[in-house]
Amino acid sequence: MIQSIIAVATGGLTGKGFMASEQKLLFLPEPHTDFIYAVISEEFGLIGATVILACFLVIACGDAGGLRAPDSFGALAATGLTTMFALQALVNISVVLG
């Protein structure tokens, strides 16, 4: 987890550039799955990390369309799927940030 915090911190405001992450080479375990947010934060900086958070927010707020479903099953299914997706993203980002 220390290495993921280092990766996020070294990204700075604009990051190191696409495919220029150093932490993913030897220091982060499973950088392509478990610590992808740390790699994105290092490569694209605070701006890229904020864009990723905004995308998750748009997906989570997109549940309003599911609430207008004609039946209760559709509304519950949309709410459940959106909640599962948003909670997984929240847990992953929380682990990366410590």
Side-chain angles (χ1 to χ4, degrees):
M1 187 169 75
I2 294 171
Q3 295 299 325
S4 68
I5 294 173
I6 291 171
V8 171
T10 57
L13 182 64
T14 58
K16 294 183 173 184
F18 183 62
M19 299 295 289
S21 174
E22 297 170 1
Q23 294 294 319
K24 71 178 177 183
L25 297 177
L26 296 172
F27 303 109
L28 286 175
E30 303 299 325
H32 58 285
T33 57
D34 294 338
F35 291 97
I36 189 68
Y37 189 74
V39 174
I40 290 171
S41 296
E42 185 179 13
E43 291 180 355
F44 299 107
L46 181 64
I47 296 170
T50 306
V51 167
I52 295 296
L53 287 176
C55 290
F56 281 126
L57 184 65
V58 166
I59 291 171
C61 292
D63 187 37
L67 295 177
R68 291 182 295 228
D71 57 347
S72 62
F73 177 76
L76 289 174
T79 302
L81 289 171
T82 303
T83 302
M84 287 177 14
F85 187 76
L87 284 177
Q88 183 64 38
L90 178 70
V91 167
N92 191 341
I93 292 171
S94 298
V95 166
V96 167
L97 297 178

